[in-house]
């Protein structure tokens, strides 16, 4: 049986949220929505915690759990209508992330080696710089903005072509970034992978010419 009083206590102790917008469902999930004005209803984790403590459902606003010491994203909202921020934590995996994020998804400055577990849909940017990435496996299949990653000598980069508005390589070669952002294949995903790979190899960036 769901203990709604305990859930309410955890939210009060750990989060900043407008209580009038909170609905604790019978299955224990928590939705946050302004049902009066339909304005954004933001949720912010305010205390240091390795977990989210609560299982969120849908958040009709921003969800901010950055710089709080998180090691797990289990309990994340299923759907976030604005941005989702878990940057500057201790995450080694994105498993448990929302399935759908309406604006940007920020997971910078963690310990991620891949993007497995990312949302399938991100309406703006995928911000994943300052992680020791070995692969971009798990990149959102629908990414309407840009993708930011830090340069790594052997990082396969063809999945960056899923980003509709291009790629930012932090501390990388301007020429490498220019090739990835060529309008002939930028945003075209696997359809643009072969011609982009050919261009990368020709320019001496063969290590990055992998999916």
């Amino acid at each position: 049986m769901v203990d709604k009083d305990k859930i309410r206590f955890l939210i009060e102790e750990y989060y900043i949220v407008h209580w009038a917008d909170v609905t604790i469902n019978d299955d224990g999930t928590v939705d946050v929505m302004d049902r009066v004005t339909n304005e954004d209803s933001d949720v912010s984790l305010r205390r240091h915690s390795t977990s989210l403590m609560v299982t969120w459902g849908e958040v009709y606003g921003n969800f901010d759990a950055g710089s709080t010491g998180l090691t797990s994203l289990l309990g994340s909202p299923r759907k976030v209508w604005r941005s989702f921020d878990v940057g500057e934590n201790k995450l080694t995996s994105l498993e448990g992330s929302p399935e759908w994020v309406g604006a940007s998804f920020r997971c910078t400055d963690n310990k991620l080696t891949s993007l497995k577990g990312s949302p399938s849909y991100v309406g703006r940017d995928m911000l994943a710089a300052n992680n020791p990435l070995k692969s971009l496996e798990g990149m959102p299949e629908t990414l309407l903005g840009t993708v930011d990653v830090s340069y790594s000598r052997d990082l396969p980069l063809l999945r960056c072509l899923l980003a509709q508005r291009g790629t930012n390589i932090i501390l990388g070669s301007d020429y490498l970034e220019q090739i990835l952002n060529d309008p002939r294949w930028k945003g075209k995903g696997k359809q643009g992978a072969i011609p982009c790979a050919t261009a990368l190899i020709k320019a001496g960036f063969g290590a990055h010419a992998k999916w």
Side-chain angles (χ1 to χ4, degrees):
M1 185 176 179
V2 173
D3 188 340
K4 292 188 178 183
D5 288 336
K6 181 178 179 180
I7 293 171
R8 177 176 289 272
F9 170 79
L10 290 171
I11 295 172
E12 289 176 341
E13 285 293 306
Y14 283 88
Y15 287 90
I16 299 173
V17 63
H18 187 226
W19 268 106
D21 300 342
V22 173
T23 300
I24 301 176
N25 301 306
D26 291 339
D27 64 356
T29 60
V30 181
D31 296 334
V32 183
M33 176 184 182
D34 185 338
R35 302 177 187 278
V36 178
T37 65
N38 290 323
E39 295 182 355
D40 289 349
S41 297
D42 298 336
V43 177
S44 179
L45 181 61
R46 64 176 180 169
R47 290 178 56 179
H48 191 89
S49 176
T50 58
S51 71
L52 293 173
M53 309 295 290
V54 173
T55 300
W56 298 91
E58 291 194 36
V59 172
Y60 289 77
N62 299 292
F63 190 94
D64 180 8
S67 303
T68 54
L70 286 179
T71 60
S72 171
L73 293 182
L74 295 179
S76 294
R78 181 179 66 258
K79 197 170 188 177
V80 177
W81 287 80
R82 296 289 289 169
S83 291
F84 182 83
D85 185 354
V86 287
E88 297 160 359
N89 279 306
K90 300 177 182 179
L91 298 169
T92 58
S93 170
L94 292 177
E95 296 295 337
S97 294
E99 301 168 8
W100 192 98
V101 174
S104 295
F105 181 93
R106 179 174 177 263
C107 58
T108 57
D109 298 280
N110 277 286
K111 301 177 181 181
L112 303 170
T113 56
S114 81
L115 300 179
K116 289 181 181 178
S118 295
S120 59
Y121 177 98
V122 173
R124 285 191 190 164
D125 304 325
M126 179 77 180
L127 306 173
N130 297 331
N131 281 291
L133 292 170
K134 303 298 182 185
S135 166
L136 298 184
E137 183 178 357
M139 179 93 92
E141 288 297 320
T142 302
L143 177 54
L144 301 187
T146 62
V147 59
D148 291 13
V149 295
S150 294
Y151 178 78
S152 177
R153 185 176 60 183
D154 299 319
L155 180 62
L157 290 174
L158 290 181
R159 279 188 171 89
C160 290
L161 301 182
L162 291 167
Q164 296 296 306
R165 298 188 65 183
T167 303
N168 297 313
I169 307 295
I170 310 304
L171 301 178
S173 162
D174 289 343
Y175 187 32
L176 171 61
E177 196 172 286
Q178 180 181 337
I179 294 172
L180 291 168
N181 290 325
D182 189 303
R184 290 175 293 175
W185 44 72
K186 180 182 74 174
K188 295 183 179 178
K190 286 187 176 181
Q191 182 181 349
I194 291 177
C196 181
T198 301
L200 287 170
I201 293 168
K202 185 177 180 180
F205 297 118
H208 303 300
K210 303 173 187 176
W211 189 258

